[in-house]
Amino acid sequence: MSITPNVPYRLEFSVEVPGTPEQVWEAVATAKGMSAWFLPTELEEREGGALHFTMGPEMGSDGHVTGWDPPRRIVYEEDWAALMGKDPDALSPLTSEFIVEAQSGGTCVVRVTSSGFGTGADWEQEWWDTLGPNWMPFFDNLRLYLSHFPGQAATQLEASASHDGDAESVWSSLQHELGLGEEGATVEVRGATGTVERVGERQALVRLTAPVPGMLSVFAFGEEEGVDHGTAMAGVRAYLFSADAADYVRREEPAWQAWLEGLPVPA
């Protein structure tokens, strides 16, 4: 007998970002905009339009737009059950709403609400407990994008590698090997220069200035626990804004991948 999904889950937060409502709307409600600070996105920009977020090789989230009121409000649903590999009857759709509100001084507040219903399983609460911490760093990307690259299309670079050990050890190695300093520090990261914009829990954001302008996110997170030890992932994701970005990615993405695979992590 199937269990009706009637246990509610909800996440709410708001962020203030630079830009007009029209600029912010383009960033949070178009495929070009969302791909410039979030995940590679395909979006039919209308009510009922299809939606797809690419999360990695052969991994993504599908959905559709259920509310469309430019430049103020977009609502979309994702197939949460399919994303988690669960029985489709066990979970409701995952609904996310973005509301853009103009403020004085050339900024807007973006109010974000995500909600859904499950069965109350332990893994559901764990997933919702990590949703906010995993999502919030992207909104630092959004602030940086609207501050320095509004309206521009991004070319993304992404690489990651798994290592034996815990996430803290992997993160310490990333910080040390890349020479990531405190917020505001000027750094050189594998031949690219920039400024550290954010340092958080096992993640950092660098605004790149040369040779290609953009944003570089560096992160580490824990994976599955094995019999004797756990593993952790080291990763980078860059959003690059230049006519030369595609050539740069073709050259540098394999180099980043090899560098991450060779990252020295203490046993």
Side-chain angles (χ1 to χ4, degrees):
M1 183 177 68
S2 62
I3 302 174
T4 302
N6 59 6
V7 177
Y9 298 99
R10 190 175 183 88
L11 171 68
E12 295 180 279
F13 61 89
S14 62
V15 294
E16 187 170 3
V17 296
T20 66
E22 290 75 17
Q23 288 174 317
V24 177
W25 174 264
E26 183 179 358
V28 303
T30 70
K32 172 186 171 183
M34 295 195 78
S35 298
W37 61 273
F38 188 44
L39 300 172
T41 301
E42 300 171 34
L43 172 63
E44 294 177 350
E45 296 159 14
R46 58 176 176 81
E47 187 167 349
L51 171 69
H52 179 79
F53 296 122
T54 297
M55 297 177 172
E58 300 182 1
M59 182 178 179
S61 180
D62 293 305
H64 63 281
V65 178
T66 59
W68 183 262
D69 182 19
R72 180 179 177 273
R73 177 177 177 268
I74 179 174
V75 186
Y76 58 84
E77 291 184 348
E78 296 172 80
D79 190 343
W80 182 30
L83 179 63
M84 302 306 297
K86 302 295 181 179
D87 183 342
D89 294 329
L91 303 170
S92 74
L94 172 63
T95 300
S96 295
E97 178 185 56
F98 286 61
I99 295 178
V100 179
E101 299 177 352
Q103 306 292 297
S104 60
T107 66
C108 289
V109 169
V110 181
R111 304 192 186 280
V112 183
T113 303
S114 286
S115 59
F117 290 87
T119 62
D122 289 344
W123 76 265
E124 294 172 2
Q125 189 60 61
E126 292 172 1
W127 190 84
W128 281 89
D129 287 344
T130 60
L131 180 60
N134 288 341
W135 207 5
M136 284 302 297
F138 284 107
F139 289 87
D140 284 328
N141 298 356
L142 174 62
R143 272 192 288 262
L144 195 59
Y145 171 66
L146 287 167
S147 295
H148 298 279
F149 312 105
Q152 296 186 46
T155 301
Q156 285 200 22
L157 177 156
E158 186 168 3
S160 61
S162 182
H163 291 272
D164 290 339
D166 59 74
E168 285 296 338
S169 297
V170 171
W171 174 242
S172 294
S173 293
L174 278 172
Q175 278 190 301
H176 175 73
E177 295 297 323
L178 292 176
L180 296 175
E182 298 179 350
E183 293 181 5
T186 299
V187 294
E188 181 174 337
V189 181
R190 297 197 63 254
T193 57
T195 302
V196 179
E197 296 282 345
R198 180 196 72 230
V199 178
E201 184 177 0
R202 298 194 298 274
Q203 43 85 17
L205 178 65
V206 178
R207 178 168 64 88
L208 301 174
T209 52
V212 176
M215 308 181 295
L216 174 69
S217 177
V218 184
F219 51 87
F221 59 87
E223 297 185 299
E224 295 295 328
E225 294 293 326
V227 175
D228 299 317
H229 54 259
T231 60
M233 183 73 72
V236 296
R237 180 183 292 112
Y239 309 82
L240 304 171
F241 305 95
S242 167
D244 300 325
D247 288 338
Y248 182 85
V249 170
R250 278 192 290 270
R251 181 176 69 252
E252 292 298 324
E253 193 169 65
W256 266 111
Q257 183 64 44
W259 186 87
L260 288 169
E261 290 173 358
L263 182 70
V265 177

